[in-house]
Amino acid sequence: MLSEANLTPGPSPTRRGEQASGLTKRKILLAISVLIILLVVFYIIPLFFKSDREAYQFVSTWGSEGNQPGQFSGPIGIAIDKAGLIYVSDAENNRIQKFTLEGAFVAEWGSEGSELGQLSRPMHITFSPDGKLYVAEYLNDRIQKFSPKGGYITAFGEAGSRAGQFDRPTDIAIDSNGRVYVVDFGNNRIQVFQPESRKG
C-alpha cells in the first residue's frame, strides 16, 4: 500500500528549469555587480586623481653635503631670477650659491660674520621686482639686499621687539609694489616695509 508521501508529486521539470534559470540570473547579476564595483574602484575613481599625480614628474637633482662649491649644509631658501638662474641660501655654510637651471655651479658669495655683506644663517630669499635679492638673516636679525652678482646694496633691521626690529627673521616676500613682508619668527608677527622712495 502506497503512503501519501509517495503519492506527493515532486517539482515538475518546468519548475526545476525555472529555479535553475532564476539561480543563473542571480549569479549573472552578482557577477555584473562585482565587475561594476571593480570598474569604479580601479578605473573611474583614479581618473579624479590621475592628473594631479602625473602633473609633476621627477626631472633631476644636484648637490651633496659639504662646503665646496655646489655642495650644501642646511640649504633653506631658493629663488629664481629673471634670467633663469637659481639662487640657494646655504644656511650653515653662511653663503648664497648661484646655479643654472641644470644645476651647474655659477658663483657664490658670503662669509660668516655680522659685518655688512657677511651672513649668519641666511634663511629664505626672494627677488624684488627690480631684480635685487633680499636675504633674511636668522642670527643677525636683519634683512640684506644684494645685486644678482652678490654685491652688497643695503640692510635694515636689528635685534629687538620694537617696530623695525627682529627676533630671528625666517622668511621674506616682496609684492609688485616693492613692499617687503618679513616673518619675524621670535616676535610672532609679520612686519611690512616700504622703500623710502616709495613712501606716500
PDB file of all heavy atoms in Angstrom, residues 163-189:
ATOM      1  N   ALA A 163      59.106  98.121  16.610  1.00  0.00           N
ATOM      2  CA  ALA A 163      58.826  98.201  15.173  1.00  0.00           C
ATOM      3  C   ALA A 163      60.132  98.350  14.404  1.00  0.00           C
ATOM      4  O   ALA A 163      60.971  99.196  14.738  1.00  0.00           O
ATOM      5  CB  ALA A 163      57.905  99.382  14.884  1.00  0.00           C
ATOM      6  N   GLY A 164      60.314  97.516  13.414  1.00  0.00           N
ATOM      7  CA  GLY A 164      61.538  97.569  12.612  1.00  0.00           C
ATOM      8  C   GLY A 164      62.657  96.706  13.145  1.00  0.00           C
ATOM      9  O   GLY A 164      63.684  96.547  12.472  1.00  0.00           O
ATOM     10  N   GLN A 165      62.477  96.158  14.330  1.00  0.00           N
ATOM     11  CA  GLN A 165      63.477  95.247  14.888  1.00  0.00           C
ATOM     12  C   GLN A 165      63.001  93.808  14.684  1.00  0.00           C
ATOM     13  O   GLN A 165      61.827  93.549  14.456  1.00  0.00           O
ATOM     14  CB  GLN A 165      63.693  95.528  16.376  1.00  0.00           C
ATOM     15  CG  GLN A 165      64.274  96.906  16.665  1.00  0.00           C
ATOM     16  CD  GLN A 165      64.476  97.134  18.159  1.00  0.00           C
ATOM     17  OE1 GLN A 165      63.685  96.662  18.983  1.00  0.00           O
ATOM     18  NE2 GLN A 165      65.501  97.890  18.503  1.00  0.00           N
ATOM     19  N   PHE A 166      63.963  92.875  14.777  1.00  0.00           N
ATOM     20  CA  PHE A 166      63.634  91.470  14.531  1.00  0.00           C
ATOM     21  C   PHE A 166      64.165  90.563  15.631  1.00  0.00           C
ATOM     22  O   PHE A 166      65.154  90.884  16.304  1.00  0.00           O
ATOM     23  CB  PHE A 166      64.247  90.992  13.199  1.00  0.00           C
ATOM     24  CG  PHE A 166      63.783  91.745  11.993  1.00  0.00           C
ATOM     25  CD1 PHE A 166      64.665  92.539  11.261  1.00  0.00           C
ATOM     26  CD2 PHE A 166      62.467  91.667  11.559  1.00  0.00           C
ATOM     27  CE1 PHE A 166      64.255  93.223  10.132  1.00  0.00           C
ATOM     28  CE2 PHE A 166      62.038  92.353  10.430  1.00  0.00           C
ATOM     29  CZ  PHE A 166      62.939  93.133   9.717  1.00  0.00           C
ATOM     30  N   ASP A 167      63.495  89.444  15.742  1.00  0.00           N
ATOM     31  CA  ASP A 167      63.991  88.361  16.582  1.00  0.00           C
ATOM     32  C   ASP A 167      63.906  87.080  15.746  1.00  0.00           C
ATOM     33  O   ASP A 167      62.884  86.432  15.670  1.00  0.00           O
ATOM     34  CB  ASP A 167      63.147  88.222  17.863  1.00  0.00           C
ATOM     35  CG  ASP A 167      63.684  87.142  18.793  1.00  0.00           C
ATOM     36  OD1 ASP A 167      64.776  86.599  18.519  1.00  0.00           O
ATOM     37  OD2 ASP A 167      63.004  86.829  19.784  1.00  0.00           O
ATOM     38  N   ARG A 168      64.999  86.785  15.069  1.00  0.00           N
ATOM     39  CA  ARG A 168      65.111  85.599  14.223  1.00  0.00           C
ATOM     40  C   ARG A 168      64.159  85.642  13.016  1.00  0.00           C
ATOM     41  O   ARG A 168      63.249  84.838  12.894  1.00  0.00           O
ATOM     42  CB  ARG A 168      64.871  84.326  15.025  1.00  0.00           C
ATOM     43  CG  ARG A 168      65.744  84.186  16.267  1.00  0.00           C
ATOM     44  CD  ARG A 168      67.219  84.079  15.873  1.00  0.00           C
ATOM     45  NE  ARG A 168      68.071  83.752  17.022  1.00  0.00           N
ATOM     46  CZ  ARG A 168      68.864  84.610  17.662  1.00  0.00           C
ATOM     47  NH1 ARG A 168      68.892  85.877  17.276  1.00  0.00           N
ATOM     48  NH2 ARG A 168      69.628  84.224  18.658  1.00  0.00           N
ATOM     49  N   PRO A 169      64.377  86.573  12.093  1.00  0.00           N
ATOM     50  CA  PRO A 169      63.540  86.590  10.879  1.00  0.00           C
ATOM     51  C   PRO A 169      63.820  85.347  10.034  1.00  0.00           C
ATOM     52  O   PRO A 169      64.975  84.941   9.872  1.00  0.00           O
ATOM     53  CB  PRO A 169      63.993  87.863  10.163  1.00  0.00           C
ATOM     54  CG  PRO A 169      65.403  88.082  10.629  1.00  0.00           C
ATOM     55  CD  PRO A 169      65.412  87.625  12.059  1.00  0.00           C
ATOM     56  N   THR A 170      62.754  84.750   9.518  1.00  0.00           N
ATOM     57  CA  THR A 170      62.926  83.490   8.802  1.00  0.00           C
ATOM     58  C   THR A 170      62.516  83.535   7.328  1.00  0.00           C
ATOM     59  O   THR A 170      63.106  82.843   6.507  1.00  0.00           O
ATOM     60  CB  THR A 170      62.106  82.374   9.475  1.00  0.00           C
ATOM     61  OG1 THR A 170      60.737  82.782   9.547  1.00  0.00           O
ATOM     62  CG2 THR A 170      62.627  82.099  10.883  1.00  0.00           C
ATOM     63  N   ASP A 171      61.513  84.329   6.997  1.00  0.00           N
ATOM     64  CA  ASP A 171      61.032  84.317   5.621  1.00  0.00           C
ATOM     65  C   ASP A 171      60.756  85.731   5.154  1.00  0.00           C
ATOM     66  O   ASP A 171      60.585  86.653   5.968  1.00  0.00           O
ATOM     67  CB  ASP A 171      59.767  83.455   5.508  1.00  0.00           C
ATOM     68  CG  ASP A 171      59.558  82.924   4.099  1.00  0.00           C
ATOM     69  OD1 ASP A 171      60.315  83.309   3.187  1.00  0.00           O
ATOM     70  OD2 ASP A 171      58.624  82.124   3.910  1.00  0.00           O
ATOM     71  N   ILE A 172      60.693  85.888   3.833  1.00  0.00           N
ATOM     72  CA  ILE A 172      60.535  87.223   3.264  1.00  0.00           C
ATOM     73  C   ILE A 172      59.817  87.111   1.928  1.00  0.00           C
ATOM     74  O   ILE A 172      59.981  86.141   1.195  1.00  0.00           O
ATOM     75  CB  ILE A 172      61.918  87.893   3.096  1.00  0.00           C
ATOM     76  CG1 ILE A 172      61.775  89.336   2.617  1.00  0.00           C
ATOM     77  CG2 ILE A 172      62.803  87.090   2.165  1.00  0.00           C
ATOM     78  CD1 ILE A 172      63.079  90.109   2.674  1.00  0.00           C
ATOM     79  N   ALA A 173      58.979  88.110   1.639  1.00  0.00           N
ATOM     80  CA  ALA A 173      58.278  88.172   0.355  1.00  0.00           C
ATOM     81  C   ALA A 173      58.157  89.636  -0.047  1.00  0.00           C
ATOM     82  O   ALA A 173      58.135  90.529   0.804  1.00  0.00           O
ATOM     83  CB  ALA A 173      56.899  87.528   0.452  1.00  0.00           C
ATOM     84  N   ILE A 174      58.089  89.875  -1.356  1.00  0.00           N
ATOM     85  CA  ILE A 174      58.000  91.244  -1.871  1.00  0.00           C
ATOM     86  C   ILE A 174      56.876  91.294  -2.897  1.00  0.00           C
ATOM     87  O   ILE A 174      56.819  90.464  -3.816  1.00  0.00           O
ATOM     88  CB  ILE A 174      59.325  91.683  -2.506  1.00  0.00           C
ATOM     89  CG1 ILE A 174      60.457  91.593  -1.480  1.00  0.00           C
ATOM     90  CG2 ILE A 174      59.213  93.105  -3.054  1.00  0.00           C
ATOM     91  CD1 ILE A 174      61.820  91.920  -2.029  1.00  0.00           C
ATOM     92  N   ASP A 175      55.966  92.261  -2.758  1.00  0.00           N
ATOM     93  CA  ASP A 175      54.861  92.358  -3.709  1.00  0.00           C
ATOM     94  C   ASP A 175      55.258  93.198  -4.915  1.00  0.00           C
ATOM     95  O   ASP A 175      56.389  93.686  -5.022  1.00  0.00           O
ATOM     96  CB  ASP A 175      53.598  92.883  -3.021  1.00  0.00           C
ATOM     97  CG  ASP A 175      53.712  94.326  -2.557  1.00  0.00           C
ATOM     98  OD1 ASP A 175      54.607  95.059  -3.034  1.00  0.00           O
ATOM     99  OD2 ASP A 175      52.897  94.741  -1.703  1.00  0.00           O
ATOM    100  N   SER A 176      54.318  93.364  -5.829  1.00  0.00           N
ATOM    101  CA  SER A 176      54.608  94.071  -7.076  1.00  0.00           C
ATOM    102  C   SER A 176      54.903  95.550  -6.873  1.00  0.00           C
ATOM    103  O   SER A 176      55.456  96.210  -7.754  1.00  0.00           O
ATOM    104  CB  SER A 176      53.424  93.909  -8.045  1.00  0.00           C
ATOM    105  OG  SER A 176      52.234  94.426  -7.467  1.00  0.00           O
ATOM    106  N   ASN A 177      54.531  96.092  -5.717  1.00  0.00           N
ATOM    107  CA  ASN A 177      54.812  97.498  -5.406  1.00  0.00           C
ATOM    108  C   ASN A 177      56.127  97.681  -4.670  1.00  0.00           C
ATOM    109  O   ASN A 177      56.489  98.796  -4.317  1.00  0.00           O
ATOM    110  CB  ASN A 177      53.673  98.082  -4.563  1.00  0.00           C
ATOM    111  CG  ASN A 177      52.364  98.159  -5.345  1.00  0.00           C
ATOM    112  OD1 ASN A 177      52.354  98.547  -6.505  1.00  0.00           O
ATOM    113  ND2 ASN A 177      51.271  97.762  -4.705  1.00  0.00           N
ATOM    114  N   GLY A 178      56.829  96.604  -4.409  1.00  0.00           N
ATOM    115  CA  GLY A 178      58.112  96.696  -3.735  1.00  0.00           C
ATOM    116  C   GLY A 178      58.038  96.633  -2.227  1.00  0.00           C
ATOM    117  O   GLY A 178      59.057  96.761  -1.548  1.00  0.00           O
ATOM    118  N   ARG A 179      56.854  96.449  -1.669  1.00  0.00           N
ATOM    119  CA  ARG A 179      56.738  96.321  -0.219  1.00  0.00           C
ATOM    120  C   ARG A 179      57.316  94.988   0.228  1.00  0.00           C
ATOM    121  O   ARG A 179      57.089  93.946  -0.387  1.00  0.00           O
ATOM    122  CB  ARG A 179      55.281  96.428   0.212  1.00  0.00           C
ATOM    123  CG  ARG A 179      54.750  97.849   0.166  1.00  0.00           C
ATOM    124  CD  ARG A 179      53.304  97.917   0.575  1.00  0.00           C
ATOM    125  NE  ARG A 179      52.815  99.288   0.587  1.00  0.00           N
ATOM    126  CZ  ARG A 179      51.542  99.627   0.672  1.00  0.00           C
ATOM    127  NH1 ARG A 179      50.620  98.674   0.726  1.00  0.00           N
ATOM    128  NH2 ARG A 179      51.183 100.894   0.681  1.00  0.00           N
ATOM    129  N   VAL A 180      58.049  95.051   1.341  1.00  0.00           N
ATOM    130  CA  VAL A 180      58.750  93.875   1.851  1.00  0.00           C
ATOM    131  C   VAL A 180      58.013  93.333   3.067  1.00  0.00           C
ATOM    132  O   VAL A 180      57.748  94.068   4.027  1.00  0.00           O
ATOM    133  CB  VAL A 180      60.203  94.236   2.238  1.00  0.00           C
ATOM    134  CG1 VAL A 180      60.939  93.005   2.753  1.00  0.00           C
ATOM    135  CG2 VAL A 180      60.937  94.833   1.038  1.00  0.00           C
ATOM    136  N   TYR A 181      57.688  92.055   3.031  1.00  0.00           N
ATOM    137  CA  TYR A 181      56.975  91.385   4.122  1.00  0.00           C
ATOM    138  C   TYR A 181      57.923  90.393   4.775  1.00  0.00           C
ATOM    139  O   TYR A 181      58.480  89.520   4.104  1.00  0.00           O
ATOM    140  CB  TYR A 181      55.740  90.654   3.590  1.00  0.00           C
ATOM    141  CG  TYR A 181      54.747  91.568   2.907  1.00  0.00           C
ATOM    142  CD1 TYR A 181      54.979  92.028   1.602  1.00  0.00           C
ATOM    143  CD2 TYR A 181      53.579  91.970   3.546  1.00  0.00           C
ATOM    144  CE1 TYR A 181      54.071  92.866   0.969  1.00  0.00           C
ATOM    145  CE2 TYR A 181      52.659  92.799   2.919  1.00  0.00           C
ATOM    146  CZ  TYR A 181      52.923  93.254   1.633  1.00  0.00           C
ATOM    147  OH  TYR A 181      52.026  94.085   1.008  1.00  0.00           O
ATOM    148  N   VAL A 182      58.116  90.542   6.077  1.00  0.00           N
ATOM    149  CA  VAL A 182      59.086  89.719   6.796  1.00  0.00           C
ATOM    150  C   VAL A 182      58.402  88.921   7.898  1.00  0.00           C
ATOM    151  O   VAL A 182      57.621  89.468   8.686  1.00  0.00           O
ATOM    152  CB  VAL A 182      60.201  90.595   7.416  1.00  0.00           C
ATOM    153  CG1 VAL A 182      61.208  89.721   8.158  1.00  0.00           C
ATOM    154  CG2 VAL A 182      60.895  91.414   6.330  1.00  0.00           C
ATOM    155  N   VAL A 183      58.695  87.628   7.945  1.00  0.00           N
ATOM    156  CA  VAL A 183      58.227  86.781   9.046  1.00  0.00           C
ATOM    157  C   VAL A 183      59.193  86.976  10.215  1.00  0.00           C
ATOM    158  O   VAL A 183      60.342  86.530  10.170  1.00  0.00           O
ATOM    159  CB  VAL A 183      58.179  85.302   8.634  1.00  0.00           C
ATOM    160  CG1 VAL A 183      57.787  84.431   9.826  1.00  0.00           C
ATOM    161  CG2 VAL A 183      57.213  85.092   7.485  1.00  0.00           C
ATOM    162  N   ASP A 184      58.720  87.657  11.255  1.00  0.00           N
ATOM    163  CA  ASP A 184      59.529  87.933  12.449  1.00  0.00           C
ATOM    164  C   ASP A 184      59.257  86.804  13.447  1.00  0.00           C
ATOM    165  O   ASP A 184      58.439  86.935  14.359  1.00  0.00           O
ATOM    166  CB  ASP A 184      59.132  89.302  13.011  1.00  0.00           C
ATOM    167  CG  ASP A 184      60.085  89.798  14.083  1.00  0.00           C
ATOM    168  OD1 ASP A 184      61.091  89.126  14.355  1.00  0.00           O
ATOM    169  OD2 ASP A 184      59.800  90.868  14.653  1.00  0.00           O
ATOM    170  N   PHE A 185      59.950  85.705  13.260  1.00  0.00           N
ATOM    171  CA  PHE A 185      59.654  84.450  13.956  1.00  0.00           C
ATOM    172  C   PHE A 185      59.619  84.595  15.473  1.00  0.00           C
ATOM    173  O   PHE A 185      58.654  84.213  16.139  1.00  0.00           O
ATOM    174  CB  PHE A 185      60.693  83.402  13.544  1.00  0.00           C
ATOM    175  CG  PHE A 185      60.555  82.082  14.242  1.00  0.00           C
ATOM    176  CD1 PHE A 185      59.581  81.184  13.869  1.00  0.00           C
ATOM    177  CD2 PHE A 185      61.411  81.737  15.280  1.00  0.00           C
ATOM    178  CE1 PHE A 185      59.452  79.959  14.507  1.00  0.00           C
ATOM    179  CE2 PHE A 185      61.295  80.523  15.926  1.00  0.00           C
ATOM    180  CZ  PHE A 185      60.306  79.635  15.546  1.00  0.00           C
ATOM    181  N   GLY A 186      60.678  85.139  16.060  1.00  0.00           N
ATOM    182  CA  GLY A 186      60.777  85.219  17.515  1.00  0.00           C
ATOM    183  C   GLY A 186      59.784  86.174  18.142  1.00  0.00           C
ATOM    184  O   GLY A 186      59.417  86.011  19.312  1.00  0.00           O
ATOM    185  N   ASN A 187      59.328  87.160  17.373  1.00  0.00           N
ATOM    186  CA  ASN A 187      58.353  88.123  17.881  1.00  0.00           C
ATOM    187  C   ASN A 187      56.921  87.767  17.498  1.00  0.00           C
ATOM    188  O   ASN A 187      55.996  88.533  17.785  1.00  0.00           O
ATOM    189  CB  ASN A 187      58.685  89.533  17.368  1.00  0.00           C
ATOM    190  CG  ASN A 187      59.898  90.123  18.071  1.00  0.00           C
ATOM    191  OD1 ASN A 187      60.094  89.940  19.281  1.00  0.00           O
ATOM    192  ND2 ASN A 187      60.732  90.836  17.326  1.00  0.00           N
ATOM    193  N   ASN A 188      56.744  86.645  16.826  1.00  0.00           N
ATOM    194  CA  ASN A 188      55.412  86.163  16.460  1.00  0.00           C
ATOM    195  C   ASN A 188      54.585  87.219  15.719  1.00  0.00           C
ATOM    196  O   ASN A 188      53.455  87.545  16.091  1.00  0.00           O
ATOM    197  CB  ASN A 188      54.646  85.702  17.712  1.00  0.00           C
ATOM    198  CG  ASN A 188      55.333  84.540  18.402  1.00  0.00           C
ATOM    199  OD1 ASN A 188      55.440  83.451  17.841  1.00  0.00           O
ATOM    200  ND2 ASN A 188      55.829  84.783  19.611  1.00  0.00           N
ATOM    201  N   ARG A 189      55.183  87.739  14.654  1.00  0.00           N
ATOM    202  CA  ARG A 189      54.480  88.757  13.893  1.00  0.00           C
ATOM    203  C   ARG A 189      55.028  88.840  12.469  1.00  0.00           C
ATOM    204  O   ARG A 189      56.079  88.274  12.158  1.00  0.00           O
ATOM    205  CB  ARG A 189      54.632  90.130  14.566  1.00  0.00           C
ATOM    206  CG  ARG A 189      56.076  90.625  14.611  1.00  0.00           C
ATOM    207  CD  ARG A 189      56.224  91.912  15.402  1.00  0.00           C
ATOM    208  NE  ARG A 189      57.630  92.355  15.451  1.00  0.00           N
ATOM    209  CZ  ARG A 189      58.054  93.412  16.138  1.00  0.00           C
ATOM    210  NH1 ARG A 189      57.177  94.137  16.850  1.00  0.00           N
ATOM    211  NH2 ARG A 189      59.339  93.751  16.122  1.00  0.00           N
TER     212      ARG A 189
END
